[in-house]
Amino acid sequence: MPCNIVIIGAGFAGVWSALSAKRLINLKGKEKDVDILVISPEPSLVMRPRLYEANAAGMNYPLSDLFGSAGIKFLQGTVDTIQTEAHTVKVRTASGGEDSVQYDRLILAAGSAVVKPRSVTGLEKHAFDIDTLTSAVKLESHLEGLASLPPSPARDTIVVCGGGFTGIELAAELPKRLSQHKGARIILVESADEVGPELGPGPRPTILKALKDLNVEVKLGSRVTAVDSKGVTLASGERVETLTAIWTAGQRATPLTEQIPGAKDSLSRLHVDENLRVPSSEDVFATGDAAYALADTKGHYALMSCQHALALGRVSGHNAAADLLDESNVAYSQPGYNCCLDLGGWGAVISRGWDRNEQITGELAKRGKTFINQNVIYPPENVNEAILAADPATPTGDAHFKDLLEAMA
């Protein structure tokens, strides 16, 4: 019987894990010796980095044809249990049944989810988010329906809770999305004393200028303590009347990491070695947002980002297949880092390096961001091109930055 590589998750890391594993299997002519199975709730790749944009329902990439052409198997369902000693995962299938799947190598690529602290009263019940395709579609439907409601300050006020990467992109995009809603007031609330605290000081002046030019109000040092159907309450006691509170503050790795023995970081990501293997479970690899992976020799770790998931997936998939084919593993290394932040109708800002030194701003940077969103993050439709692109040696970081500059020219 063939060996089984089971991949949990069909996000960026999961898809590229499957394609990379298939690439190595094909290169060695071992198609009959190793099967690849991807398990996910839907046979589609959600373009999660684009869910701040309009047309949320269209932000997914069907995978059935690509996987079918590549010879990658797919099981529609949700993994509830991982049994590392038995090399088994328990799946709740789309039809409501239960299935047990054996693996020889397991790749955990189930991503992350927005964190909704229980300490914030009413958050789960009353706040929107753009963490999933379903939640982004729900928000879009709500926004489109606001104009039909009776005028009020609450109707006309949108509060984005969380001034990090996602919150900034959403707040900057909302003026364009609400262009038909005259008098809309957009407020970005951040508990820290600086906007984009994780982005560093490099791009911050540009971010603040863009938000000001877009008439987005910014409330810093303002922790949200409660959300209800008609407003948001801050720790200071201030209340903002709104029918639309959107939570974007913080992410945490899939709860499935807790079922795998081994150290985790503060975001519940599994510590992995240079090959993305979980040291305490040698037949398990963690990748994408589920992995706490050292990206370079200077102490930088991969971020919960599409940029890192694309590279992590290529390495984890290759190494899972390499194990079963007695081939050498490839060490994960991604020393180059570039950050491209969409600033809506104002433009964008591109920064380079882990210190995020600002490089390009405005309309030119927007062209770069558009190229990334509409081209770079999508797998090739042609199966042969997709498998070729799954090479773990695919350029990233500085090499990719040069490609981006050429695309913007």
Side-chain angles (χ1 to χ4, degrees):
M1 291 182 62
C3 297
N4 287 325
I5 297 173
V6 173
I7 301 169
I8 304 175
F12 293 103
V15 168
W16 286 105
S17 287
L19 291 169
S20 183
K22 192 62 180 176
R23 172 187 171 273
L24 184 60
I25 292 166
N26 289 357
L27 282 174
K28 300 303 174 180
K30 298 293 185 179
E31 293 89 343
K32 295 182 179 180
D33 296 335
V34 183
D35 284 341
I36 302 168
L37 174 67
V38 176
I39 305 172
S40 182
E42 296 292 337
S44 62
L45 169 60
V46 175
M47 293 296 139
R48 198 177 180 200
R50 298 190 63 185
L51 293 182
Y52 66 94
E53 300 180 50
N55 187 31
M59 298 302 179
N60 67 335
Y61 180 95
L63 294 170
S64 296
D65 289 346
L66 179 62
F67 281 176
S69 298
I72 296 168
K73 297 179 179 180
F74 181 81
L75 174 59
Q76 188 168 358
T78 301
V79 173
D80 290 326
T81 307
I82 299 173
Q83 299 171 326
T84 54
E85 292 186 3
H87 282 57
T88 302
V89 297
K90 302 291 186 180
V91 184
R92 183 165 27 91
T93 64
S95 61
E98 294 184 356
D99 202 353
S100 180
V101 179
Q102 294 286 130
Y103 67 81
D104 294 283
R105 293 296 182 273
L106 177 68
I107 301 176
L108 180 58
S112 61
V114 68
V115 176
K116 293 186 176 180
R118 293 181 180 179
S119 58
V120 181
T121 305
L123 179 60
E124 187 69 43
K125 181 177 181 180
H126 297 291
F128 294 90
D129 67 73
I130 55 169
D131 193 50
T132 66
L133 189 67
T134 299
S135 60
V137 169
K138 179 181 177 182
L139 171 64
E140 185 158 42
S141 177
H142 170 81
L143 292 175
E144 291 172 348
L146 286 175
S148 65
L149 300 177
S152 70
R155 183 200 72 167
D156 297 336
T157 301
I158 314 296
V159 179
V160 179
C161 307
F165 192 101
T166 302
I168 293 169
E169 289 200 322
L170 177 60
E173 188 73 7
L174 282 172
K176 181 169 64 177
R177 294 180 62 176
L178 296 169
S179 59
Q180 302 304 312
H181 189 126
K182 303 303 180 184
R185 178 191 181 197
I186 300 164
I187 305 174
L188 180 64
V189 176
E190 168 57 44
S191 61
D193 293 329
E194 299 281 2
V195 70
E198 80 281 16
L199 299 176
R204 190 166 293 136
T206 295
I207 294 169
L208 289 171
K209 174 174 172 49
L211 293 174
K212 182 179 180 181
D213 290 349
L214 291 167
N215 294 316
V216 175
E217 300 176 39
V218 179
K219 291 182 178 291
L220 299 174
S222 301
R223 182 171 57 86
V224 175
T225 59
V227 181
D228 59 49
S229 62
K230 296 183 179 180
V232 169
T233 303
L234 306 181
S236 64
E238 180 184 359
R239 180 170 171 79
V240 180
E241 298 296 323
T242 180
L243 301 180
T244 315
I246 311 169
W247 188 264
T248 67
Q251 286 181 289
R252 190 174 182 84
T254 169
L256 290 174
T257 61
E258 299 299 330
Q259 298 188 31
I260 298 175
K264 286 92 178 171
D265 76 338
S266 60
L267 302 178
S268 198
R269 297 182 296 179
L270 282 157
H271 285 232
V272 293
D273 65 15
E274 64 178 7
N275 300 322
L276 306 185
R277 190 188 311 274
V278 178
S280 59
S281 301
E282 63 178 18
D283 296 333
V284 177
F285 295 83
T287 193
D289 288 359
Y292 183 59
L294 188 65
D296 61 16
T297 59
K298 298 180 180 179
H300 298 117
Y301 284 80
L303 302 176
M304 286 182 164
S305 70
C306 174
Q307 178 178 171
H308 287 103
L310 295 173
L312 287 161
R314 287 175 167 94
V315 172
S316 55
H318 175 96
N319 288 343
D323 270 11
L324 300 176
L325 299 175
D326 293 324
E327 297 291 332
S328 299
N329 277 199
V330 171
Y332 168 68
S333 177
Q334 198 171 2
Y337 173 67
N338 303 297
C339 179
C340 191
L341 182 73
D342 200 341
L343 294 172
W346 188 90
V349 56
I350 297 175
S351 54
R352 192 175 185 185
W354 292 92
D355 292 332
R356 297 177 177 83
N357 297 311
E358 188 174 279
Q359 299 289 306
I360 308 169
T361 64
E363 183 55 35
L364 182 59
K366 182 74 168 189
R367 286 164 58 185
K369 180 67 173 182
T370 301
F371 177 71
I372 291 171
N373 278 6
Q374 297 182 5
N375 295 275
V376 174
I377 65 176
Y378 286 79
E381 292 184 4
N382 179 278
V383 64
N384 293 324
E385 293 178 3
I387 290 176
L388 183 65
D391 187 343
T394 297
T396 60
D398 290 342
H400 188 201
F401 185 76
K402 293 177 182 178
D403 292 340
L404 180 61
L405 293 179
E406 290 177 4
M408 291 172 3

